[in-house]
Amino acid sequence: EEQLVQSGAEVKKSGESLKISCKGSARTFNNHFVGWVRQVPGKGLEWMGHIYAGDSDTRYNPSFRGQVTISADKSNRTAFLHWDKLRASDTAIYWCVRQQGSQWLAAFDIWGQGTVVSVSS
Amino acid sequence: STELTQPPSVSVSPGQTARITCSGDALSKQYGYWYQQKPGLAPVLMIYKDSERPSGIPERFSGSSSGTTVTLTISGVQAEDEADYYCQSADTIGTWVFGGGTKLTVL
């Protein structure tokens, strides 16, 4: 069964760049949409965007477009979330999620273990 | 923009039935999905396409849809069901939205 393993916790300062990763265990990784969900401490879930690893088709939540970049390395079955310049408001847990099937309109059936990002001002 | 509205909290005694609602215009055109999140853990998919239950999810969890509202029903609530529950749906431009979450308390 597919598992998503995310990179470890990060402690950064405002203005720094950051790239976190999410590696899939199954050969089917590239046949699914893989996305990112933000959860600010004590708050709810926010979908940031997703990518189809097979062809890098990417969609963003308008609230996050221009703030982050989602990419993938299909040869290594890995998805990435990148910030050019972090802000303190980016402090959150970031969940990597795989969607069922190969269509964008599919449930988030597998979640990574989460990556905690702490940004100080 | 698409919005989904959930009650902030629901309380129920063990063995009773809990119903958590989620309302939004998008739900009249798109499916609803439900996730359970316990403290410190990743969310878990509980219901997809309004009423489908993934393998491994107990039968006491069920989902339904009517108009612009989807409902998660937990029959015979157990202490272990205490968690935050989030509904989710999609909009027509290919993006996803979550409801604000409902904290289920088992008294």
Side-chain angles (χ1 to χ4, degrees):
Chain A
E1 181 179 294
E2 174 83 272
Q3 290 186 13
L4 300 176
V5 179
Q6 298 184 227
S7 50
E10 301 276 359
V11 179
K12 308 291 279 186
K13 295 185 175 159
S14 291
E16 293 184 331
S17 65
L18 175 64
K19 194 173 193 177
I20 61 175
S21 66
C22 167
K23 186 172 177 63
S25 61
R27 287 176 292 171
T28 56
F29 180 84
N30 293 335
N31 298 331
H32 294 266
F33 277 89
V34 176
W36 293 93
V37 173
R38 184 175 81 172
Q39 188 167 32
V40 172
K43 302 297 185 182
L45 305 174
E46 300 172 273
W47 180 75
M48 302 177 72
H50 63 194
I51 187 167
Y52 187 76
D55 65 6
S56 294
D57 177 25
T58 309
R59 303 180 192 208
Y60 292 93
N61 178 333
S63 297
F64 291 96
R65 185 177 290 120
Q67 308 305 310
V68 296
T69 302
I70 294 172
S71 60
D73 176 353
K74 69 177 183 179
S75 63
N76 287 307
R77 301 195 299 273
T78 303
F80 302 96
L81 181 63
H82 175 253
W83 293 260
D84 277 332
K85 289 185 178 180
L86 287 161
R87 298 177 290 189
S89 58
D90 293 318
T91 295
I93 299 174
Y94 292 87
W95 304 101
C96 172
V97 297
R98 190 200 79 164
Q99 295 184 236
Q100 290 175 329
S102 60
Q103 303 300 312
W104 76 266
L105 191 61
F108 297 4
D109 62 343
I110 296 175
W111 294 64
Q113 84 276 21
T115 296
V116 175
V117 174
S118 300
V119 184
S120 62
S121 54
Chain B
S1 62
T2 300
E3 292 186 358
L4 299 176
T5 301
Q6 300 180 234
S9 63
V10 169
S11 298
V12 65
S13 298
Q16 291 189 329
T17 296
R19 293 181 179 84
I20 301 173
T21 58
C22 173
S23 299
D25 290 341
L27 294 169
S28 66
K29 303 179 183 64
Q30 300 287 355
Y31 289 119
Y33 304 78
W34 289 97
Y35 300 84
Q36 176 195 69
Q37 186 180 31
K38 295 183 177 179
L41 298 179
V44 173
L45 176 67
M46 306 301 284
I47 297 289
Y48 65 100
K49 291 186 179 180
D50 291 344
S51 59
E52 300 291 325
R53 194 172 50 246
S55 61
I57 301 303
E59 290 184 7
R60 64 180 181 274
F61 291 89
S62 63
S64 61
S65 175
S66 178
T68 59
T69 299
V70 292
T71 301
L72 173 69
T73 300
I74 311 172
S75 304
V77 167
Q78 300 181 7
E80 66 196 52
D81 299 332
E82 186 163 286
D84 294 326
Y85 291 85
Y86 294 91
C87 65
Q88 178 199 34
S89 190
D91 62 28
T92 54
I93 62 170
T95 61
W96 291 95
V97 63
F98 288 97
T102 297
K103 181 176 180 60
L104 176 68
T105 300
V106 181
L107 301 171

